[in-house]
Amino acid sequence: MHPAARTRTTFRTGPTPVPQPRSRRIRSLIDADALRVLHRAARVLLDDLPDLTDRLLAVLREQEPAYRTALENDHAATWQEVHRSLRHSVTSLLDPRGTREAAHRCTWRIGAARAEQGLPLDALLHAFRLGGSLVWQRLVEETTRSEPEDIRLLVHVATDVWNFVDEHCTLVADAYRQAERQLAWRRENRVRLLAAALLDGTSRIADLPETAERLCLPEHGRYVVVAIAGGPPHDLPTRGSAYLHSGVEVDHGIVLVGDEGDEGGGEVDRDPLAALDLPPDAPAGRRIGVGSAVTGLAAVGDARRLADLALSICPPEGGTVRLTDHLPEALVVSCPELGVTLVERVLGPLLRLEPADRDVLLDTLVAWFACEGSAQRAGERLYCHRNTVLNRLRRCEQLIGRSLARPHDVVEIGLALTARRLPRG
């Protein structure tokens, strides 16, 4: 039945049938008489359906604020919906089997439509029960008016009437919840599509306001993207300054780190890892790349590429790499072909030595760079005298034709060592 929920003051519910011990024959005759009374009253209600619809809408306007708003926004559509539902309810009293499927379809459509419109489910169920109460009251009123002595017979069909109301309340609730789940899925999928376009750098300018609204992030602000790979699945952050987009192999967190007008260049005002509930140091097996800051949601695609670049520098066993702390490595990794060329051009003569000799010289070079050019500290790290370190370094210089005293050569050698250490894509 359409609209109706428990009545509050206007309508009274139908009497509860009290079973009496009768013979099967007498019971059958009483049922037939009760149906005759019910059908006679129902035909009158069917002829008076517009008035019945107006009465129900008046009660809904008074008792249900949600329907009051619906009537103000689109009175004609709401009237037609209530009218159709009441017509199916009354015709079902006359021909339950023949009208059952049509009545079910009508109720289902109402539940789905009201879910899409955002009408509260409680208000919808109340409306259906109010409709049931109104139909029952009008049946009693009509029988009392036309054949008062038959009023006692209506008690024998009261259960059928209220079972119908309960059946359609269940049906409309099922339709509402199913539509609600579909709407939630569509909303979630829309958010994923907008976030994916943002990260891919394919987001349309016209979609940015919607993207900002759905991701709960300002369109204008400073953002960092964090790339996360490996380890257990990461839960969505609860803070309003970040959004985590789950991928097949890599998750990407879009993190608001400052306002658009903030000063600071590549520095960030808020820690993007904290915004995603990630520890500063990644646990074993998890790799985290933190890109540098960009301005505005429109630039998040660039920020994602920077985060992926930082992730590519992470060692296979896990760790956290902040791009701003590894710019030389990033330069090399950003163009692997040039990195290979650089390694061969600068370190080629060293790499072609016997493995034992090659490894000693390369380890010495790496230690010297790690110790910021101190032969003394490099010797301590390698467990040898500083003079041994200096002798090895001179041999390296002779082999590669470069001097560790010339800044340009030092840069080339350092980048070549970095390129050799990093994985090649």
Side-chain angles (χ1 to χ4, degrees):
M1 289 218 146
H2 178 278
R6 57 192 177 285
T7 85
R8 299 176 187 174
T9 55
T10 307
F11 300 128
R12 53 187 186 278
T13 58
T16 303
V18 181
Q20 299 294 327
R22 304 175 188 273
S23 68
R24 186 175 301 276
R25 174 65 178 166
I26 294 175
R27 177 68 184 176
S28 177
L29 289 174
I30 290 176
D31 287 346
D33 288 341
L35 287 174
R36 174 181 54 79
V37 172
L38 176 66
H39 291 171
R40 183 180 60 206
R43 281 189 286 271
V44 174
L45 262 64
L46 201 57
D47 293 337
D48 199 27
L49 208 53
D51 179 65
L52 196 65
T53 302
D54 291 338
R55 288 182 60 178
L56 180 53
L57 287 176
V59 176
L60 287 173
R61 185 188 295 275
E62 176 186 347
Q63 297 192 10
E64 278 297 343
Y67 268 92
R68 191 180 309 138
T69 302
L71 286 166
E72 290 171 357
N73 292 338
D74 196 342
H75 184 279
T78 305
W79 193 96
Q80 289 296 335
E81 175 191 286
V82 173
H83 185 268
R84 281 194 303 271
S85 182
L86 287 174
R87 177 165 52 81
H88 282 292
S89 299
V90 176
T91 54
S92 293
L93 299 176
L94 298 168
D95 182 13
R97 292 185 180 179
T99 60
R100 186 173 188 273
E101 292 303 320
H104 280 191
R105 286 194 298 271
C106 176
T107 295
W108 188 273
R109 284 194 294 267
I110 290 172
R114 287 307 187 182
E116 292 184 0
Q117 294 161 9
L119 185 86
L121 179 56
D122 285 347
L124 183 60
L125 290 172
H126 186 216
F128 267 74
R129 294 191 180 103
L130 280 176
S133 297
L134 176 58
V135 169
W136 176 256
Q137 180 178 333
R138 288 290 292 114
L139 291 171
V140 173
E141 289 175 353
E142 177 55 31
T143 302
T144 301
R145 183 192 65 79
S146 60
E147 300 289 345
E149 67 279 3
D150 289 341
I151 192 66
R152 60 183 178 80
L153 293 172
L154 281 181
V155 73
H156 297 286
V157 295
T159 298
D160 294 335
V161 172
W162 290 104
N163 283 345
F164 180 92
V165 175
D166 288 342
E167 176 187 1
H168 282 258
C169 282
T170 300
L171 188 66
V172 79
D174 288 345
Y176 186 100
R177 293 189 182 102
Q178 179 174 313
E180 203 172 36
R181 287 192 295 271
Q182 292 173 344
L183 287 168
W185 180 87
R186 287 203 294 267
R187 283 193 295 268
E188 182 180 344
N189 193 53
R190 177 63 175 165
V191 170
R192 282 189 55 79
L193 290 174
L194 289 170
L198 204 62
L199 289 164
D200 290 341
T202 58
S203 183
R204 300 182 305 172
I205 296 299
D207 289 336
L208 288 178
E210 181 189 0
T211 303
E213 179 182 357
R214 289 183 180 267
L215 269 58
C216 299
L217 295 170
E219 184 177 347
H220 305 289
R222 293 175 59 241
Y223 288 96
V224 164
V225 171
V226 178
I228 309 163
H234 188 62
D235 294 331
L236 288 171
T238 56
R239 296 174 176 81
S241 60
Y243 174 82
L244 185 71
H245 182 76
S246 299
V248 178
E249 297 181 353
V250 179
D251 298 336
H252 290 94
I254 304 171
V255 184
L256 176 69
V257 295
D259 297 328
E260 187 176 31
D262 290 349
E263 299 295 332
E267 297 298 322
V268 298
D269 307 299
R270 306 184 187 105
D271 184 5
L273 295 182
L276 291 167
D277 294 326
L278 290 168
D281 298 316
R286 170 167 282 173
R287 297 160 50 238
I288 299 174
V290 183
S292 52
V294 298
T295 300
L297 281 179
V300 164
D302 295 331
R304 181 258 178 96
R305 285 186 284 276
L306 294 173
D308 288 343
L309 186 59
L311 185 67
S312 69
I313 302 173
C314 286
E317 62 273 14
T320 299
V321 169
R322 296 177 184 266
L323 189 66
T324 51
D325 297 335
H326 295 81
L327 293 177
E329 294 96 324
L331 286 171
V332 172
V333 170
S334 62
C335 189
E337 297 82 2
L338 287 181
V340 172
T341 302
L342 183 66
V343 170
E344 175 57 32
R345 183 169 181 269
V346 176
L347 302 177
L350 271 176
L351 299 177
R352 286 188 284 274
L353 294 175
E354 291 295 323
D357 199 15
R358 175 198 66 199
D359 292 344
V360 167
L361 293 179
L362 284 173
D363 288 346
T364 302
L365 268 178
V366 170
W368 186 80
F369 272 92
C371 295
E372 299 176 343
S374 169
Q376 179 68 38
R377 284 191 287 135
E380 293 171 359
R381 175 175 293 196
L382 297 170
Y383 303 103
C384 64
H385 195 275
R386 66 180 296 274
N387 289 339
T388 302
V389 171
L390 292 173
N391 289 333
R392 292 175 183 173
L393 292 177
R394 277 194 292 272
R395 188 177 175 209
C396 288
E397 289 177 319
Q398 292 169 358
L399 285 168
I400 62 178
R402 285 167 174 77
S403 172
L404 292 174
R406 287 198 296 267
H408 180 272
D409 290 353
V410 171
V411 170
E412 273 198 332
I413 296 169
L415 288 176
L417 289 172
T418 297
R420 182 177 178 274
R421 174 176 57 83
L422 293 174
R424 298 177 186 179

